[in-house]
Amino acid sequence: MEEENPMQLLQHYRRDRHILLNFLLSGNLIKKVVMPPGAVSLDDVDIDQLSVDYVLNCAKKGETLDLAEAIRLYHDSLDYPSLSENGTVDEFFLVTRPEYSGSPPARAPPAVPAVTELPIPAPIPSAPILPDLSKSQSFHSQTPDERELTIDDIEDFEDDEEDEVNSARAASRRQQNDATDLSLLLPPFTTGISDDDLRETAYEILVAAAGAAGGLIVPVKEKKKEKRSKIMRKLGRSKSESITSQAQRAPGLVGLLEVMRAQLEITEAMDIRTRQGLLNSLVGKVGKRMDNLLIPLELLCCVSRTEFSDKKAYIKWQKRQLNILEEGLINHTVVGFGELGRKINELRNILRKIEEVETLPPGQAEIQRTECLRSLREVATTLSERPARGDLPGEVCHWADGYHLNIKLYVAMLSSVFDVLEEGKLTEEVEEILELLRSTWRILGITETIHDACYSWILFRQFVITGEQSLLPLVIEHLRKVPLKEQRGPQERLHLKSLKCSVEGEEGRYHDYTFFQSFLSPVQRWVDKMLNDYHLHFSEMPSMMADILSVAMLSRRILLEESDKVLDSPNREQIDHYITSSVKNVFSRITQEAEDKADSSGEHFLAILSEETKKLMKKDSTLYLPILAQWHPQAAIASASLLHKLYGQKLRPFLDRAEHLTEDVVYVFPAADSLEQYILSIMASVVGDDGLDGICRQKISVYQVESKSSTLVLRWVNSQLDRIKAWVTRAAQQEVWDPISPQQRHGNSIVEVYRIIEETVDQFFGLKVPMRAEELYSLLRGLDNSFEIYTNLVTAGLVSKEELIPPVPALTRYKKENVIKAFTKRETSIEARPLDDRRSSGINSLTTVKLCVRLNSIYYALTHLNRLEDSIYERWSIKKKDYINIRRSISDKTRNLAPMQKNHFDGCRKEMNSAIDHLCEFTGMKIIFWDLREPFIDNLYKHSASQARLETITESLDLVLNQLCDVILEQLRDRVVTGLLQASLEGLLRVILDGGPTRIFSPNDSKLLEDDLEILKEFFISGGDGLPRGTVENLVSRVRHVITLLGYETRVLIDDLKEVSQGGKSKYGTDEKTLLRILCHRHDSDASHFLKKQFKIPSSAV
C-alpha cells in the first residue's frame, strides 16, 4: 500500500475527528449542550475548533458541555505544549523567553497622577470575554422579562429624533483633527463603494455571523417620547449615568447587537429588513450555517421593493448589494477561479441586467428580475463555494474574504468600539463587541495577527483625530501582540504573504504594499513627522512622546521585517535620524531668535547663540534624552555632537577672520568654550572620561584654528596643473603621428601625457598634510581640462569637410544634339576655389596611417582614463581612513568621508568620443573625396554609365581598406570602416545627382547602378568579416531610393516634380531637389524641354 501524502493524512484525521465528535454530541453521553454565541444548532458550530479532551471530560463527569469553552480551550492548546499528569513537579513551561527578558527594574514605579480620567479597558485577551454570561448560559437564552417582537411591533424614530442624534454626533466631532495622512494604502474599489456602503454591509455580515437565534431577534423598544428623553439624557450623561444606561439595555446578544446598530449608525428600518431577509433566507435550508450564506445574494432574493419607503432608497440599496457581490466574487477574491473564470463575464452581465430592471415596465421587470436572480444564484454560488487548499467541499463560502474588501469591512466593524458621543473614549461594551466581531472572522478570513494590526490602526487613527492619549497604550499593546515571522505558523505566513495590493502614487506610478505596509506605513509616516521635530511637537507633552516613540519603533520593527531588511541596530539608526532632524530644526529656530536678539541688544550673535544652545542642551537632558535613551543608550552623544557641529559651523568663519583680540573675540571665545565644555560633560556622563577621547576623535573636533594647509595644497595643485597644460601642449605639437611599434599603434605623445599626469598624482597623494575633498576635486577638474586640451590638439590639424569636397557643378539640361554645354548660372553656379599649396600640402600630409595613429592615441587616452580614475579613488579611500584618527571638525570630516562619485572625467570622456567620431568621418571623406577623387568623383559614370562602372575602383578601395585595417585598433575598426562606407555613399550620390554635364543617365541605367550599389554593399560586408549586414543595409537605403527613381519614366518624374513644386507630396517619398537633379541628368528631350520651360535651366554649352 502506497504511503499517503500529508494532505491525505490531514483529510483522514479531520474525518475521524468529525465522526468521534458527532458520536459524542449526538448520543446520550452529554448531559446538556450550551451553544456558543450565534449558533442555533450543532450545524452552526465548526467541529474542527472543539477541544476533544474537554468534550470527553464532560462526558466522563456528566457535566454540561459549553461549546464556547470548548472552542476557547482548543485555541489555547495551539499556543501551549501538551502536558501529561505523570511528569515530575520540577518540570515547568515558560510562556516568555528568558533570553529576551532583562533584569528587574532598579527603581520604584512613578506615582499615580492626581488627575482622574476615565479608566482604559484592560488588554483584550484572545479567549472569549463574556463577563455577563456564565458557562451554562448562551446568547440566545432569554430572561423572563424579554419577549420576541415581530416587524409589525417596531416603530421607527421620527425625523426630529434622528436630527437630534445627528446633531449630538456632529457636535462631538467639531474639534477633531485631520487624519487624512493615516489613510490606508489600499486601492479604491472599482465599483465606487463608499464608506457608508462598507458600514452597512459590515453590519449585515455581523448580524449573519451572530446567528439566527439571538442575532435576528428584534429587541423591545420604548415609546418615542421615552426614547427621545433617553437620547437627551445621554448627551449630558455623567460616568454614573453611563453605567446606569448600560444596565438598562437588553441583556445578552440581542442588546449587544442593538448597541452595534447604534454604533454603526444603522437605521431601524434597515436593521429590520436585514434581519427579516436573513431569516427568510434560512427557510428550507436545514443545517445550513449562517456564515456560509452568500449574504448579499440572499438579501437581494429575500428583500422586496415594497419594504422600502421610496424607489430611490431601494435602488441605492440594491446597487450596494450588487457592487459588494462584484467586488467580493470578481475583483478581490482569495481563491483563484481556475476553470470557473469563464463565469466572470456571465456574472457581470447578470449584475448589469438586474440594475436595468428598474427601467422596465412593472410586469416585464418582475419577470426579468426573477430570472436574473435565479441565474445569479447559480453562478454566484458556484464561484463562492470553490474550495481552497485544505477546505472540504461545501464548508466554505468565499465571497468576502478576499483582500482588500474583507479588510475594509472589518475596519468598518472595528470603528464601532468608540463612544459615539465621546469619540476619544472606548465604549463600555468594547470587550463584548470585540468578542462578537470574532464571529465574523470565518466570513472575512481574519486571523489574530490581522485583527491586532487592524485594531492598532483604528486606535491610533482615533488618537490622531481626538488627541486622546489614553488610546496609545492600547495601540502599543496590540502592536506588541503582532508576532514576528518566526513566531507565526507556516499557514499564517503564507496567508499574510499573499495579502498584497498595488496603489497608485502621486507621481502616477503604482507601488506594491503588503498587508502590514498598507496599515502601518501611514502610522509610521505620521509618527516620523512628529518625531522629526519632537522639540516642537512635544515641548509640553514629553509623556506622550514616549508612547509615540514606542509606536514608531514597534511599527518600524514590523515593517523592516516585512521588507526583509536586515539592520545591525535598527532602533539606534532610527533614533539617530529623529535626533538629527529635530535638533537641526530647533537649532534653526534658536539661531533666528539669537539673530533677532543680537540686533536689539547689541551683543554679538555667536555669544547669544552659545547661551541659547546651552539652554537647549539642558532641556534635552531633562525631558527628551531619558526617553530616547530607552531605545538608544547613546542618544545623548548623538544630540550633543550634532549641536556641537551646528554651532561650530556658525563659529568657524569668525575663527578664520580672527587676527586680533577684539571686543567681539572677548565675548565669543569664552561663550564658545563654555558651551563646548558643557557638551563634553554631557558626553562624558554617558561614556565616561576614558571613552570621551574616542568619541571626540570619531564625532567632533574641538573649536581651534587648523593650519591653513588646505590653501597651500590648493596653491600647489594649481601650479602643477599649469605645468601639466604646458607639457600636454608641447607633446601634442611635437607629435609626428607615427606608431611607436607594430604592437603599440598609438603616438608617443599620449604616453608622455600620462607619464606627467601620473607623476603629479603620485606627488599629490604623497603629501602628508591634511586636505579636504575640494583639493582633490580641483586636481581632477584640472586633469579633465588637460585631457580636453590634448584631444583638441589632436583634431586641430583637420580641415573642414567643405575643403575636401570639390565644388558642385552648375545645373544644365540635356541638349538634343547630345552635346552638353558648360553653363554657369548666376543663381546656381559655384566658382571653384582651389586650395593654396600650403593647405593642399597639409591635407596630403594627413595620410591614412597618421589619421589612424591619431585615432589610436585618443582611444588609448580613453581606455587608460578608467584605470587612472580607479587608482585615484582607491588611493583617496585609503587616505580618508587616516583622517578618522585626526582631530578635525565635523564639517571637514563630513566632506572628506562622503562617498565620491566617479564623474569628474565625464567632460573629457565626452570630448574624446566626439573626437573619435569626427576623425572617423574625416578619414572616410578624405579617402573618397581627396585620395580617390579622380577615379571616383571625376571619372565614375563619365559620359556613359556602362563604360565607367564602380567595379573599376573597387581595387583602389580594397588597397585603402587593407592599409587602414593594418594600423587601426581592432576596437575602432568598425567605426572607421563605417565612416568610409558613409563617405563612399555620399560620393556615389554626388556623382548621380551633381555629377555635372558629363553624367547623363537613362531609365535603363538604373539596373546597372543597382548592380554597382550591390557590389559596394557586399564589398563592405565582406562575407561576414566586414561590417554587420544590418548596418550596411540601413546606410545604403537612401542611395537605393535615388537609383530606383532613376528607373522611372521621364513623364512620371515630371508629374511628380510638378506636384511637389506646387506644395504637394511626392508619390515616391522624395523631394524637389532630388527630382530636379535626376531630370537634369536625364538623357531625354522631354526632360530637357520641361526644365527649360519650367525652371529656365539652359542647356550645356558646346
Side-chain angles (χ1 to χ4, degrees):
M1 181 177 179
E2 297 183 356
E3 185 179 358
E4 294 181 319
N5 58 39
M7 184 58 65
Q8 292 175 335
L9 291 174
L10 176 62
Q11 296 290 350
H12 287 175
Y13 170 76
R14 293 181 62 186
R15 191 180 301 112
D16 294 343
R17 200 171 183 275
H18 270 284
I19 295 172
L20 173 60
L21 288 172
N22 283 328
F23 170 77
L24 294 174
L25 296 175
S26 60
N28 297 325
L29 298 176
I30 304 298
K31 179 179 178 182
K32 182 180 179 181
V33 178
V34 179
M35 296 295 170
V40 181
S41 64
L42 290 175
D43 293 331
D44 297 329
V45 179
D46 189 355
I47 301 298
D48 289 337
Q49 298 189 30
L50 297 180
S51 171
V52 177
D53 293 335
Y54 176 77
V55 176
L56 290 173
N57 190 45
C58 290
K60 180 180 179 181
K61 297 181 179 180
E63 296 178 350
T64 300
L65 173 60
D66 188 350
L67 293 182
E69 182 69 8
I71 294 174
R72 184 187 69 80
L73 292 174
Y74 170 79
H75 287 284
D76 287 349
S77 66
L78 300 179
D79 298 331
Y80 302 98
S82 301
L83 300 179
S84 60
E85 297 180 356
N86 56 2
T88 64
V89 295
D90 296 330
E91 296 177 353
F92 60 94
F93 172 73
L94 288 178
V95 177
T96 60
R97 295 190 177 184
E99 63 271 22
Y100 294 140
S101 302
S103 59
R107 59 182 179 180
V112 179
V115 179
T116 303
E117 297 181 353
L118 290 176
I120 301 176
I124 302 170
S126 59
I129 301 175
L130 302 173
D132 57 333
L133 293 178
S134 65
K135 294 183 179 181
S136 61
Q137 292 177 312
S138 65
F139 271 108
H140 66 276
S141 62
Q142 301 179 5
T143 63
D145 297 334
E146 180 184 349
R147 67 180 182 88
E148 224 176 293
L149 297 182
T150 62
I151 298 177
D152 297 335
D153 296 330
I154 300 174
E155 291 183 305
D156 294 332
F157 279 139
E158 293 182 345
D159 294 338
D160 57 342
E161 295 174 328
E162 295 178 354
D163 292 340
E164 292 178 16
V165 177
N166 293 334
S167 299
R169 289 170 178 167
S172 68
R173 298 171 183 169
R174 289 172 186 165
Q175 302 301 324
Q176 293 179 351
N177 300 321
D178 184 19
T180 54
D181 293 339
L182 285 173
S183 300
L184 293 176
L185 298 178
L186 296 174
F189 292 109
T190 57
T191 57
I193 294 177
S194 64
D195 291 341
D196 290 338
D197 294 336
L198 289 172
R199 179 170 43 78
E200 293 169 2
T201 303
Y203 180 73
E204 292 170 353
I205 294 175
L206 185 62
V207 173
L216 303 183
I217 296 177
V218 180
V220 179
K221 293 294 178 182
E222 301 294 337
K223 298 300 181 181
K224 286 187 288 184
K225 183 176 180 180
E226 295 175 349
K227 286 185 283 185
R228 183 184 293 111
S229 63
K230 182 178 180 180
I231 292 176
M232 298 310 294
R233 286 198 307 270
K234 193 172 183 180
L235 289 174
R237 67 177 181 176
S238 64
K239 182 177 179 180
S240 60
E241 291 172 342
S242 176
I243 297 175
T244 303
S245 63
Q246 179 190 17
Q248 292 175 352
R249 73 172 175 87
L253 184 58
V254 174
L256 183 58
L257 281 177
E258 186 62 13
V259 171
M260 290 295 297
R261 184 190 69 79
Q263 292 291 100
L264 292 174
E265 301 179 13
I266 304 299
T267 63
E268 289 186 358
M270 180 176 292
D271 182 32
I272 295 170
R273 286 193 297 267
T274 301
R275 299 189 187 207
Q276 189 61 53
L278 292 175
L279 278 174
N280 295 338
S281 68
L282 292 175
V283 176
K285 298 178 181 177
V286 180
K288 185 70 172 180
R289 292 176 56 92
M290 180 67 73
D291 55 4
N292 277 357
L293 293 179
L294 190 51
I295 296 173
L297 174 62
E298 299 298 341
L299 291 176
L300 282 171
C301 296
C302 298
V303 178
S304 64
R305 161 73 179 81
T306 58
E307 298 182 32
F308 289 82
S309 58
D310 57 80
K311 182 178 180 180
K312 183 178 180 181
Y314 173 73
I315 293 176
K316 181 180 178 181
W317 175 86
Q318 178 180 261
K319 178 65 175 176
R320 172 171 64 83
Q321 304 295 349
L322 296 177
N323 288 342
I324 292 295
L325 279 175
E326 184 174 349
E327 295 289 352
L329 292 177
I330 299 177
N331 298 339
H332 304 287
T333 56
V334 70
V335 182
F337 294 107
E339 298 180 356
L340 299 177
R342 54 187 175 80
K343 292 184 176 292
I344 295 177
N345 292 332
E346 181 181 355
L347 178 58
R348 283 199 173 100
N349 293 333
I350 295 173
L351 296 178
R352 301 293 86 82
K353 287 182 179 180
I354 294 177
E355 291 184 43
E356 296 171 358
V357 167
E358 300 301 324
T359 62
L360 302 177
Q364 183 180 353
E366 187 61 25
I367 295 175
Q368 180 168 330
R369 186 174 187 277
T370 303
E371 294 177 353
C372 289
L373 288 177
R374 185 186 306 110
S375 302
L376 178 62
R377 180 177 293 279
E378 295 175 358
V379 177
T381 303
T382 303
L383 290 175
S384 65
E385 293 184 353
R386 58 192 186 279
R389 182 177 181 182
D391 292 334
L392 294 177
E395 71 173 6
V396 292
C397 183
H398 296 289
W399 71 274
D401 55 348
Y403 188 75
H404 64 283
L405 173 64
N406 56 340
I407 294 298
K408 289 192 174 182
L409 288 171
Y410 193 63
V411 166
M413 295 181 187
L414 286 174
S415 302
S416 63
V417 300
F418 302 104
D419 197 307
V420 176
L421 300 181
E422 292 183 83
E423 295 194 344
K425 304 292 183 180
L426 293 173
T427 185
E428 297 159 2
E429 300 86 1
V430 58
E431 296 181 355
E432 298 175 67
I433 291 175
L434 291 176
E435 183 60 32
L436 178 60
L437 294 185
R438 284 178 174 268
S439 62
T440 66
W441 288 11
R442 179 184 176 89
I443 296 177
L444 299 177
I446 304 297
T447 64
E448 192 78 31
T449 301
I450 294 176
H451 163 77
D452 288 330
C454 295
Y455 195 40
S456 300
W457 179 83
I458 282 288
L459 291 170
F460 190 83
R461 181 177 179 273
Q462 201 70 8
F463 156 74
V464 173
I465 293 175
T466 63
E468 182 60 45
Q469 187 178 348
S470 61
L471 294 174
L472 288 176
L474 288 175
V475 178
I476 297 171
E477 176 187 351
H478 283 275
L479 284 177
R480 285 175 175 161
K481 286 184 178 181
V482 176
L484 298 176
K485 281 188 177 179
E486 63 268 18
Q487 298 172 344
R488 304 169 196 162
Q491 186 174 359
E492 186 174 30
R493 284 200 297 267
L494 292 175
H495 177 55
L496 290 174
K497 186 177 180 180
S498 66
L499 302 184
K500 292 184 179 181
C501 64
S502 182
V503 181
E504 185 178 7
E506 296 179 358
E507 64 277 10
R509 294 188 303 176
Y510 282 86
H511 304 277
D512 294 331
Y513 297 99
T514 63
F515 165 75
F516 288 113
Q517 289 171 343
S518 297
F519 274 78
L520 297 184
S521 293
V523 175
Q524 187 70 42
R525 283 201 300 265
W526 193 91
V527 296
D528 285 349
K529 180 180 178 182
M530 299 291 287
L531 293 171
N532 282 336
D533 200 352
Y534 56 78
H535 291 91
L536 176 65
H537 296 114
F538 302 108
S539 58
E540 304 297 335
M541 297 177 294
S543 61
M544 181 182 291
M545 176 183 169
D547 291 336
I548 292 294
L549 188 60
S550 297
V551 173
M553 294 296 101
L554 292 173
S555 301
R556 177 176 170 80
R557 180 205 66 174
I558 298 172
L559 291 175
L560 284 177
E561 187 187 48
E562 197 70 6
S563 59
D564 294 329
K565 291 184 179 179
V566 179
L567 300 179
D568 295 335
S569 54
N571 291 344
R572 291 192 176 189
E573 293 180 7
Q574 189 64 21
I575 296 300
D576 280 339
H577 174 76
Y578 292 149
I579 291 174
T580 301
S581 178
S582 187
V583 169
K584 285 183 177 180
N585 290 330
V586 70
F587 189 82
S588 177
R589 289 192 291 270
I590 65 174
T591 300
Q592 185 62 43
E593 294 172 2
E595 290 176 352
D596 297 340
K597 188 175 181 180
D599 294 339
S600 60
S601 64
E603 297 182 34
H604 196 278
F605 157 70
L606 288 175
I608 298 174
L609 182 60
S610 174
E611 294 300 322
E612 294 299 325
T613 305
K614 184 182 293 186
K615 292 179 182 178
L616 174 62
M617 195 65 219
K618 291 180 179 178
K619 184 178 181 180
D620 278 4
S621 301
T622 305
L623 296 180
Y624 305 121
L625 293 180
I627 297 174
L628 295 171
Q630 297 175 8
W631 300 92
H632 187 349
Q634 294 189 348
I637 294 178
S639 178
S641 62
L642 181 56
L643 279 173
H644 186 277
K645 168 190 172 182
L646 294 174
Y647 182 78
Q649 291 174 348
K650 300 291 182 182
L651 179 66
R652 185 158 303 280
F654 177 82
L655 293 176
D656 294 338
R657 295 192 302 268
E659 297 179 357
H660 304 286
L661 191 61
T662 63
E663 183 179 356
D664 289 339
V665 171
V666 171
Y667 279 110
V668 172
F669 275 20
D673 184 70
S674 175
L675 172 63
E676 185 176 56
Q677 294 303 317
Y678 181 77
I679 290 178
L680 292 176
S681 67
I682 294 294
M683 300 173 70
S685 66
V686 178
V687 297
D689 294 333
D690 295 336
L692 181 60
D693 187 65
I695 293 295
C696 289
R697 285 197 302 268
Q698 296 176 11
K699 292 185 174 291
I700 67 172
S701 175
V702 294
Y703 299 148
Q704 62 181 353
V705 178
E706 297 278 351
S707 65
K708 296 185 178 180
S709 62
S710 297
T711 303
L712 299 177
V713 171
L714 185 60
R715 187 179 303 166
W716 178 86
V717 167
N718 290 334
S719 65
Q720 292 299 311
L721 291 176
D722 293 338
R723 173 171 165 266
I724 290 175
K725 292 177 183 178
W727 272 90
V728 168
T729 303
R730 183 164 55 253
Q733 291 175 348
Q734 295 177 354
E735 178 64 76
V736 295
W737 303 115
D738 290 332
I740 298 177
S741 66
Q743 292 75 28
Q744 298 178 331
R745 288 173 277 182
H746 49 268
N748 186 63
S749 59
I750 188 60
V751 178
E752 187 67 18
V753 167
Y754 265 101
R755 184 187 65 80
I756 187 62
I757 287 178
E758 289 174 352
E759 286 181 0
T760 304
V761 171
D762 291 340
Q763 294 174 12
F764 176 81
F765 285 105
L767 298 175
K768 300 303 181 182
V769 295
M771 62 182 69
R772 302 168 301 176
E774 282 75 4
E775 284 72 58
L776 177 63
Y777 296 156
S778 179
L779 175 64
L780 294 176
R781 286 192 296 267
L783 297 181
D784 180 75
N785 186 43
S786 299
F787 281 117
E788 289 185 11
I789 292 174
Y790 177 80
T791 303
N792 293 330
L793 289 174
V794 171
T795 58
L798 307 182
V799 300
S800 64
K801 179 179 178 180
E802 288 72 19
E803 295 185 56
L804 293 175
I805 301 176
V808 178
L811 288 177
T812 59
R813 58 185 173 84
Y814 165 73
K815 190 176 181 181
K816 188 174 182 179
E817 292 81 4
N818 279 340
V819 178
I820 301 177
K821 301 178 180 180
F823 179 82
T824 302
K825 186 176 180 181
R826 182 174 301 174
E827 293 79 0
T828 59
S829 65
I830 300 178
E831 295 182 0
R833 295 182 181 179
L835 298 175
D836 55 35
D837 294 339
R838 180 182 300 176
R839 195 63 172 165
S840 177
S841 175
I843 296 176
N844 289 329
S845 66
L846 296 173
T847 63
T848 300
V849 173
K850 293 184 181 298
L851 289 174
C852 289
V853 173
R854 289 175 186 252
L855 276 167
N856 294 341
S857 298
I858 295 180
Y859 187 77
Y860 178 93
L862 184 61
T863 53
H864 283 68
L865 193 61
N866 294 332
R867 186 185 308 168
L868 173 65
E869 189 176 40
D870 292 339
S871 173
I872 291 175
Y873 284 107
E874 181 180 355
R875 297 167 74 175
W876 179 252
S877 299
I878 297 173
K879 194 175 187 65
K880 285 191 300 182
K881 297 178 181 178
D882 298 335
Y883 291 157
I884 297 177
N885 298 322
I886 301 176
R887 192 180 292 269
R888 296 180 56 85
S889 69
I890 298 294
S891 58
D892 283 345
K893 254 185 212 178
T894 301
R895 287 193 294 266
N896 284 327
L897 300 180
M900 297 177 58
Q901 298 180 354
K902 296 183 179 181
N903 57 1
H904 294 88
F905 288 146
D906 288 352
C908 63
R909 281 193 181 94
K910 183 178 179 181
E911 194 72 26
M912 290 176 184
N913 282 306
S914 177
I916 291 175
D917 293 337
H918 179 54
L919 277 169
C920 290
E921 180 185 8
F922 178 83
T923 302
M925 297 297 293
K926 178 182 176 296
I927 291 174
I928 297 301
F929 287 92
W930 189 268
D931 299 339
L932 300 180
R933 176 182 294 183
E934 181 177 353
F936 200 125
I937 305 302
D938 295 341
N939 295 328
L940 182 65
Y941 303 139
K942 190 173 183 180
H943 300 306
S944 174
S946 60
Q947 296 178 2
R949 299 285 296 280
L950 184 66
E951 58 188 10
T952 60
I953 63 173
T954 54
E955 184 176 354
S956 299
L957 273 176
D958 188 53
L959 291 175
V960 171
L961 194 59
N962 289 333
Q963 184 185 26
L964 186 148
C965 291
D966 288 341
V967 181
I968 199 69
L969 294 174
E970 184 68 22
Q971 295 86 345
L972 296 175
R973 191 201 67 169
D974 284 358
R975 296 173 70 175
V976 176
V977 175
T978 300
L980 179 60
L981 172 60
Q982 290 174 331
S984 302
L985 295 173
E986 191 170 342
L988 188 59
L989 284 176
R990 165 66 183 266
V991 170
I992 296 174
L993 298 179
D994 290 307
T998 60
R999 267 77 173 211
I1000 56 175
F1001 301 99
S1002 64
N1004 295 332
D1005 293 334
S1006 174
K1007 182 64 173 62
L1008 298 177
L1009 268 64
E1010 180 68 30
D1011 293 341
D1012 285 353
L1013 181 63
E1014 192 67 22
I1015 291 173
L1016 184 64
K1017 184 187 75 173
E1018 295 300 328
F1019 174 79
F1020 280 95
I1021 294 175
S1022 187
D1025 295 332
L1027 296 176
R1029 182 173 294 274
T1031 302
V1032 177
E1033 288 287 356
N1034 290 335
L1035 293 175
V1036 305
S1037 58
R1038 177 169 173 261
V1039 180
R1040 180 176 284 112
H1041 177 66
V1042 174
I1043 294 176
T1044 302
L1045 293 175
L1046 286 174
Y1048 291 145
E1049 295 296 330
T1050 302
R1051 179 49 52 190
V1052 174
L1053 296 176
I1054 291 174
D1055 292 342
D1056 199 38
L1057 180 58
K1058 289 180 179 180
E1059 181 69 21
V1060 176
S1061 301
Q1062 295 174 0
K1065 187 176 181 181
S1066 172
K1067 297 179 181 179
Y1068 306 106
T1070 186
D1071 53 27
E1072 180 181 4
K1073 180 180 177 181
T1074 302
L1075 291 171
L1076 180 63
R1077 279 157 174 71
I1078 291 175
L1079 290 175
C1080 286
H1081 294 81
R1082 177 55 61 95
H1083 189 279
D1084 188 272
S1085 299
D1086 293 340
S1088 177
H1089 179 72
F1090 170 75
L1091 295 173
K1092 177 181 179 181
K1093 180 179 178 181
Q1094 191 72 19
F1095 294 94
K1096 309 300 181 185
I1097 296 178
S1099 61
S1100 59
V1102 179

